Amino acid sequence: MKTFFVQIKCEIGKTYDVSDSLLSMNLASEIYSTAGRFDIMAKFHVDNDIDIGLFVNEFLLRLKNVKDSETIIAFKAFL
């Protein structure tokens, strides 16, 4: 299993719309609104054979009102 985070920049005033779209897709394990350069941070878990770049491009960047994103791949969780 691979874990990664995607920070998403939305069109002005559309953060809640993008968040609702993400929730309806039921792909993210967690979704947060954030302050700073990006508006949303979402956490994903995918099988090892899934191409993360393709996943982000096919499912996230095609969402209406998404302007930009940054993907952060996680290596180890310290629990």
Side-chain angles (χ1 to χ4, degrees), residues 6-57:
V6 179
Q7 297 184 101
I8 300 168
K9 178 71 175 169
C10 305
E11 296 289 343
I12 293 174
K14 298 298 182 179
T15 301
Y16 282 73
D17 293 340
V18 173
S19 296
D20 288 343
S21 294
L22 278 172
L23 282 169
S24 71
M25 293 170 72
N26 204 28
L27 296 172
S29 64
E30 300 172 46
I31 302 169
Y32 298 93
S33 60
T34 59
R37 190 171 150 229
F38 293 94
D39 303 304
I40 298 169
M41 183 167 57
K43 182 179 182 181
F44 298 89
H45 303 282
V46 294
D47 292 332
N48 287 329
D49 63 333
I50 299 295
D51 181 322
I52 292 173
L54 184 62
F55 178 93
V56 170
N57 283 300

